[in-house]
């Protein structure tokens, strides 16, 4: 599997239809999370951490002014990625596409990490030995591979 290919005109999506389908489903799930009640979802804490760890009031004020814009940007990024995965977009990525892919893959990994209970190197290592989320752990690793391949493809040949 080669997720991305650099050609003369830029980066192209090289995923198989099955890989596109899996990532499309994950992107749709991310959009559902972003459209849902973020105040009750622990994923929101990972994607929108407190700006001031020792000042709940300042963090709440910061969140009040920034969260809706951040949610809108994350939703836009996920929509761009979804369009590529479903064939609504084709050809070479432009700069906005590249950033949308990088950011959405990060959001997907944060979301999956939260579901697996991964918060640091120790819990990440423990997740390999846990029976809860065996398939999800594989998806987490695969999305990491896709993200790494995109970074390598973007930085090669520039």
């Amino acid at each position: 599997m080669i997720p991305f290919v650099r050609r003369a005109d830029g980066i192209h999506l090289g995923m198989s239809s099955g890989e596109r389908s899996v990532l499309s489903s994950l992107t749709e799930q991310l959009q559902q999370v972003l459209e849902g009640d973020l105040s009750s979802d622990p994923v929101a804490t990972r994607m929108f951490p407190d700006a001031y760890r020792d000042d709940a009031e300042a963090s709440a004020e910061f969140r009040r002014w920034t969260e809706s814009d951040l949610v809108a940007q994350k939703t836009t990024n996920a929509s761009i990625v979804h369009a590529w995965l479903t064939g609504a977009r084709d050809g070479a990525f432009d700069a906005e596409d590249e950033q949308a892919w990088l950011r959405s893959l990060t959001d997907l990994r944060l979301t999956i990490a939260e579901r697996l209970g991964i918060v640091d190197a120790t819990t990440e290592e423990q997740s390999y030995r846990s029976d809860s989320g065996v398939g999800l752990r594989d998806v987490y690793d695969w999305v990491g591979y896709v993200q790494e391949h995109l970074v390598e493809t973007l930085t090669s040949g520039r």
Side-chain angles (χ1 to χ4, degrees):
M1 165 193 110
I2 299 174
F4 305 98
V5 178
R6 178 176 287 286
R7 296 186 183 143
D9 62 341
I11 306 295
H12 289 255
L13 192 57
M15 290 181 188
S16 70
S17 62
E19 293 163 337
R20 285 180 186 224
S21 179
V22 169
L23 202 50
S24 177
S25 175
L26 292 172
T27 305
E28 289 167 6
Q29 291 173 49
L30 175 61
Q31 289 171 313
Q32 290 172 357
V33 167
L34 292 168
E35 292 167 0
D37 180 10
L38 293 174
S39 65
S40 65
D41 193 333
V43 168
T45 304
R46 292 291 287 270
M47 282 200 273
F48 310 105
D50 285 339
Y52 307 97
R53 288 184 185 191
D54 298 329
D55 190 340
E57 187 176 319
S59 287
E61 182 71 6
F62 183 81
R63 186 175 319 286
R64 184 171 76 89
W65 291 103
T66 62
E67 189 172 68
S68 64
D69 289 342
L70 291 171
V71 169
Q73 185 59 58
K74 289 177 182 299
T75 301
T76 297
N77 292 336
S79 295
I80 289 170
V81 169
H82 192 264
W84 280 98
L85 293 167
T86 58
R89 301 272 313 267
D90 196 17
F93 290 179
D94 62 24
E96 181 183 18
D97 297 324
E98 293 170 358
Q99 290 301 308
W101 272 89
L102 290 168
R103 291 175 178 150
S104 284
L105 290 169
T106 297
D107 290 340
L108 287 172
R109 284 184 45 87
L110 285 172
T111 301
I112 296 168
E114 178 60 36
R115 302 297 191 230
L116 289 170
I118 298 172
V119 294
D120 56 23
T122 301
T123 54
E124 182 173 13
E125 185 60 36
Q126 290 169 348
S127 73
Y128 282 109
R129 295 187 297 271
S130 173
D131 288 340
S132 61
V134 171
L136 190 56
R137 177 61 215 212
D138 292 336
V139 171
Y140 177 78
D141 288 339
W142 177 71
V143 173
Y145 164 75
V146 171
Q147 186 175 36
E148 179 182 8
H149 191 268
L150 177 56
V151 170
E152 289 175 1
T153 305
L154 288 168
T155 57
S156 68
R158 277 198 174 170

